[in-house]
Amino acid sequence: VHHSLLRERSQADFDPYELKLFIFDSEDMLKAKESADKAIEIHDVFRTPSEWHSWDREEKVRDAMRKIYHFHKKQKDIGFQGLTYKRMMVACEESMGQVPVDLHYYMFVTCIKYLASDEQKALWLSDAKKLKMHGCYAQTEMGHGSNIAGLETTATFDRSTDEFVIHTPSLSAYKFWPGELGKFATHAIVFAKLIIDGTDHGVQSFLVEIRDKRNHCLLPGVIAGDIGPKYGFNMKDNGYMALNHVRIPRTQMLSRYSEVSEEGVFTKKGNLKILYTAMQTIRILIVRMAFKNLSKGLTIAIRYGIVRTQFKDKAGSDEERAIIDYQTHQFKLIPILSQCYAFLFVYQKVSKDFSDLKKRIKAGDLTGINDLHTISSGMKAFYTWMTLEGLETCRQSCGGAGYSMFSGLPGLVQDYAAQVTYEGDNTVMAQQGARFLVKSLGKMMKGETLTGWVSYLNKVYEVTEYKCKAEKPEDFDSLETLEEMLVVKTCFMVGDTCMKMMQGDEPMQTKWNEMYQQELVEMSKAHTMLVTFQIFRDGIKSSWLQESTKKHLCNLCKVFAAHQIYLDSAPLFECGYFSGGHQKMLLEYMKMQFKLIRPVMLPLIESFGHNDNILNSCIGNSYGDILENQLESAVNSDLNRKDMFPDFEKYMKPFYNAKI
Amino acid sequence: VHHSLLRERSQADFDPYELKLFIFDSEDMLKAKESADKAIEIHDVFRTPSEWHSWDREEKVRDAMRKIYHFHKKQKDIGFQGLTYKRMMVACEESMGQVPVDLHYYMFVTCIKYLASDEQKALWLSDAKKLKMHGCYAQTEMGHGSNIAGLETTATFDRSTDEFVIHTPSLSAYKFWPGELGKFATHAIVFAKLIIDGTDHGVQSFLVEIRDKRNHCLLPGVIAGDIGPKYGFNMKDNGYMALNHVRIPRTQMLSRYSEVSEEGVFTKKGNLKILYTAMQTIRILIVRMAFKNLSKGLTIAIRYGIVRTQFKDKAGSDEERAIIDYQTHQFKLIPILSQCYAFLFVYQKVSKDFSDLKKRIKAGDLTGINDLHTISSGMKAFYTWMTLEGLETCRQSCGGAGYSMFSGLPGLVQDYAAQVTYEGDNTVMAQQGARFLVKSLGKMMKGETLTGWVSYLNKVYEVTEYKCKAEKPEDFDSLETLEEMLVVKTCFMVGDTCMKMMQGDEPMQTKWNEMYQQELVEMSKAHTMLVTFQIFRDGIKSSWLQESTKKHLCNLCKVFAAHQIYLDSAPLFECGYFSGGHQKMLLEYMKMQFKLIRPVMLPLIESFGHNDNILNSCIGNSYGDILENQLESAVNSDLNRKDMFPDFEKYMKPFYNAKI
Ligand SMILES: Cc1cc2nc3c(=O)[nH]c(=O)nc-3n(C[C@H](O)[C@H](O)[C@H](O)COP(=O)(O)OP(=O)(O)OC[C@H]3O[C@@H](n4cnc5c(N)ncnc54)[C@H](O)[C@@H]3O)c2cc1C
Ligand SMILES: Cc1cc2nc3c(=O)[nH]c(=O)nc-3n(C[C@H](O)[C@H](O)[C@H](O)COP(=O)(O)OP(=O)(O)OC[C@H]3O[C@@H](n4cnc5c(N)ncnc54)[C@H](O)[C@@H]3O)c2cc1C
């Protein structure tokens, strides 16, 4: 192990193991996670070798399915020392990026759970869970992604046969993008407009069998295939599909919330709000993926930053400076580290809220059902943007090494990049967040007292009088002051934007889309960052961690807030809260914080517990043998296994011989 | 052709052809460019098919070399209707991203031109130009990239045989990254420490033959190979190399600026400053690559934005809104468009300055030799960062489609990403820019009057008194006001940072690396943006374009400045130039500008003249048939050509049959 890593590990003035326990919730959970990761690492068939980075799509897709098979087989034959199925799936996924059944479990099975009636569940759920049917989630069409109401696929009720006829009427109605549709899925949940006797009842969902389970051929009327190579997700078979008057029994419309009777009568039933909770599962997963991915990127970048040296401070001196000890390098990585922990605390909070909510719903109590939904669209947008940017910064901070696939960093960037688009394009999601703020402020102005995440808006007038009292950098070193800054900034942005939205006679859509959309998105971000800070701060306070650990997390929480302000402090100047000198003091304050955090960056990031197999990085493993590893991966890489002689004689030698 | 593209093409209130002429300098140049692009497009062997996006590295590397061969062959056999060799190379490169001889020409041949003595040139240059030797530029080692002085490869003079012994003494001395080294190069220019009788004379360059031209085998003592898959550049064979006491004649040290005699006497000669000019060739190329790449990304994103619609403004209305007509979309793309044109004008300016300089040098006049060098390091850093971010924004602005390789956008991002690292890591380059500012301000404070790019710093005290006089958005609509803002901002940042650097007793290196590095980089950016604005503005003014065209470019120039301020206006508030309301007015001002630019975005970007073969994008071609193209690329893609039956029987069917 590299001496610098050893030194930095040993210099932790807190208990990294305690922090690790906290991150994984309990000793049992941590142990289970570690044994699952280990199980993936020790079995040849599950381990992802360094060469994986150079496999083409076919190899990756096939390897992934093979792994899933062996995984189930081993699980059944010998079990993994009592590890749960879900636990093992997650470990599998962490080591490969994606598995070819995650859409199946996360979307298809979830849809059956939440959208199917009890009878349907009884019929389908067990088969789905056992992969006796492999399903995909077929919503997006070539013509419509964000605007789901615009979907064109039709499901026309045929009373005479008691069937729906599912049909793709145009090129723009082709399903496009669904994961696992391209090569694997036997079934699809197809979103289509329900038509009964010429009346459009809006988009509903239908279970459609698309491949013959005996030979995996597409069923009659189904045209489908893989959509080709992508930026990332290349072991995933995202697909396209057209359906030519494919008939399914009436009972295959998912009918927890709406139903069509034999007579063709359409009825809605149940509380649609509960349906929202289904979407929350995915949103929470997205928060989880944010800190999971950021922590992977940071583990690589921080270790590399500690081991890699470049430039001597003085000619003649013996050692070069570790690149992490350049101030700019800390400016790159420490704010990202703070975001990584912020997302962790938000994840803990929203998962807890969500499981509480589910309990309440079971007991028939629907209070608070909207809360999570309203805050989570902003989180979706801004967390995924921040994470993608953070990963790219990690990549760049490793210089040339970060450009090699073997570093693991390009793969993280490429795979993660999908998240700013899917599950709701970020610019669209950010506006959903804004919509709620506009509504809330409207209520407040009508005299209502706001509660929940937006309660700070009750002070929207009051805060305009606030002035920042900081006179030196140290004055920023208070969670109250930092919160005040975020509150003042957000109040000012929300207040100002909402005023504009209320003035003028232009149609609401014009104001929204053409006049103030930029401000709406910006205020949505400010709000999300404020709430994130609050959850982060409260999470630390109420945790069972020792003071010695809390201290560091608290420093990160402060950096999170200060950095958000530093990036965009104009609103604070605009509203008169900041005055000359404050921005520079804030910068100096961040530098003070960086000094405190720098010595514990390694243990802080290693507490996320990514093992070497998961990272699959020649520059970020736990040993720090960056040169040996880079060279080894290079020497063993693909093109070195093949000589180029046919090409040489034909295409290169003629030049040397002047035969061309 | 899609009706929206037709409409927007026809609504241009300026002459796009005139602008195109301007971009390509003259009618002759434009014609040559277009015929070269055409020649590449019409010959099967040169065209890059849509499937290219799914080829693996081996296919790409071999295809590229095959193309180069046929390219030379055809050039020789039939010629390309009088098109120059260089012109055709560039066309080739534009259509593939890179060609496997660009390092050879841009670096290897350039080194011979600038670093070799006249005798050496006479011996080598013609062979190099004819590809009778294929060379690479072997500078970076595993242990040292940015810090070139730290290179460890040794070149030890052996008087007894009149040779240098080139040797790799350690793992960290392995050459790593040189392009074309992995598979193709027969020669390398190796940078190594010259050792004579135990004395280290610093890094010098040496011509080393590494592969046998008869059979392409590595020569004795040479260990080399490809370094494996990368984020981008995957048709390029970047390589590693170790040399085990490889002997070369003394005459193979490149000796324009230094020489070792038979007796082992080391002498420096000539004016090293002239050497800097060699590096300028590459820097200018980097500015060129910035607008070339940005304009490709923008062509795709703007066309897609015009054709792609999503959401109706009102339920029941017929048409959905083109995504480019969302305000946020314009905020994403228009500033990038302004940067693209800014880089074009900078390119024109610096290439002209450079060719003037070369003429002066030939005449023995060295004035102004440093000017270009000092401004170009900041340009290298900030232009490449902006371009990379801009390309990623273009990619994201196409939603899911931008995630498909067939859109062409991921490839642009991945290949371009190398530029923030190579030719000097950006964080290091940004500091070179800062170093010059610190020096200049020092001179100014000693009473010297500054000239050239930094002459605005003469006003560093004076501007602290300035106040922004804008009272409404329209007041920003003046090039003078916008320049003033950039000048005040930069002066404030440079003044403040330099003051800090002068105070305190800490060693200069500590101040630089640990205390104020962040500010140094930030001020370097402000300076670069100011100079860019000035060049952009002056370039428009002095161009021969008609007013109707200039008007639009001028609007872009204003957006460039306003956007730079909007992104980071804190310094203007800090120094008292801005006061409450100015940031918001600036935002409204940008919106006014966007309204003017929006109708001509398509002709403005199409003037860059990228044809469909170059773009190789299923969503960005000149016809706008985005759905047809996406589907066609998908249907024809790799995985659809192979069934998965062996896998199906083994790995999937067992699930369906409950045999697992
Ligand atoms: C890797 C990957 C996996 C996927 N998996 C699935 C899957 O399993 N099942 C499935 O059904 N789908 C899947 N999708 C599709 C995904 O859900 C859509 O790509 C996403 O909903 C966005 O839709 P779109 O691509 O049509 O973009 P569009 O909606 O066309 O948006 C294009 C651009 O327009 C902008 N825009 C659109 N509306 C507005 C507005 N109102 N205001 C401002 N700007 C706007 C957006 O910001 C975006 O930049 C996947 C996509 C990817 C990339
Ligand atoms: C695609 C590609 C092609 C290439 N082609 C060639 C080629 O043909 N020939 C060749 O010789 N080389 C080539 N290179 C290598 C390239 O020149 C180096 O990668 C580059 O010089 C950076 O060096 P490094 O990778 O060692 O990074 P390092 O110098 O190790 O830097 C790593 C990190 O430390 C930071 N850092 C370093 N010093 C400082 C400082 N003083 N202050 C603040 N931060 C600092 C950097 O910002 C960076 O984030 C290529 C690289 C790539 C990616």
Side-chain angles (χ1 to χ4, degrees), chain A residues 308 323 396-397 400, chain B residues 137 139-140 145-146 178-179 238 425 431 517:
Chain A
R308 175 74 174 176
I323 57 175
Q396 289 187 25
S397 76
Chain B
Y137 179 89
Q139 177 180 294
T140 307
S146 302
N238 296 80
D425 171 273
Q431 293 176 61
Q517 200 176 34

Side-chain angles (χ1 to χ4, degrees), chain A residues 137 139-140 145-146 178-179 238 425 431 517, chain B residues 308 323 396-397 400:
Chain A
Y137 178 89
Q139 177 180 294
T140 307
S146 302
N238 295 80
D425 171 272
Q431 292 176 63
Q517 200 175 34
Chain B
R308 175 74 174 176
I323 56 175
Q396 290 187 24
S397 76

